[in-house]
Amino acid sequence: LAGAHTVGASKCFTFANGRFDRIYNFKNTSKQDETVNPEYLPYLRKKCPLGGDFTASTVEFDTGSQFNFDNWYFKNLEKRNDLLTSDQDLFQSQFTSGTGTIPISLPGTSGSP
C-alpha cells in the first residue's frame, strides 16, 4: 500500500538516521543510498542537516502535493525522489516490476504518472 504515502510527511529519523540512513551513511558506507536522485539529495540534507533534531524535523512524502491525494507520489518514485527505502525497493522490485507505472486516473489529474 505504498500509494498511501502520497499524503503526509515523515520524521528525519525514519530515513536519515542509524540503520535507516539513506542520505549520509547508507549501510555504513559513509555515502548516500544510490537509489536516491542526486538532485533530490541536497533538499533532503537541507531539511535534515547533520547535527539537527531528527526527531522534530519532517519532510513531506510527496514533495509539492503532500496535502493532495494524487499521482505525484508515483511520479516522484520514477524520478527516485522518495524518502523511504521500502518505497523505492517496492517500486524497483522484480516482484512488482511494471506495477509502479500503472496508469492511474483521479478526478482533475492527467491520468498517468
Side-chain angles (χ1 to χ4, degrees):
L1 190 58
H5 290 159
T6 190
V7 178
S10 181
K11 301 270 186 196
C12 292
F13 73 83
T14 62
F15 64 90
N17 189 42
R19 68 184 186 112
F20 302 109
D21 188 347
R22 298 187 73 203
I23 66 174
Y24 293 109
N25 190 23
F26 186 63
K27 295 185 178 180
N28 294 317
T29 61
S30 299
K31 298 178 182 177
Q32 75 275 358
D33 180 349
E34 291 182 5
T35 66
V36 176
N37 182 339
E39 294 176 9
Y40 184 52
L41 194 59
Y43 174 77
L44 294 176
R45 287 182 172 169
K46 182 178 179 183
K47 298 285 273 187
C48 302
L50 277 176
D53 185 354
F54 283 8
T55 61
S57 301
T58 61
V59 178
E60 58 280 353
F61 283 123
D62 190 0
T63 305
S65 71
Q66 67 270 21
F67 301 113
N68 300 314
F69 191 83
D70 56 20
N71 63 0
W72 276 97
Y73 165 79
F74 296 102
K75 291 179 183 185
N76 285 328
L77 276 177
E78 286 181 327
K79 292 189 251 180
R80 300 179 323 172
N81 293 349
D82 55 272
L83 292 183
L84 306 179
T85 304
S86 59
D87 288 351
Q88 192 59 235
D89 287 348
L90 182 61
F91 184 75
Q92 293 180 328
S93 168
Q94 66 178 349
F95 301 109
T96 57
S97 180
T99 60
T101 57
I102 292 174
I104 60 171
S105 181
L106 299 172
T109 68
S110 64
S112 64

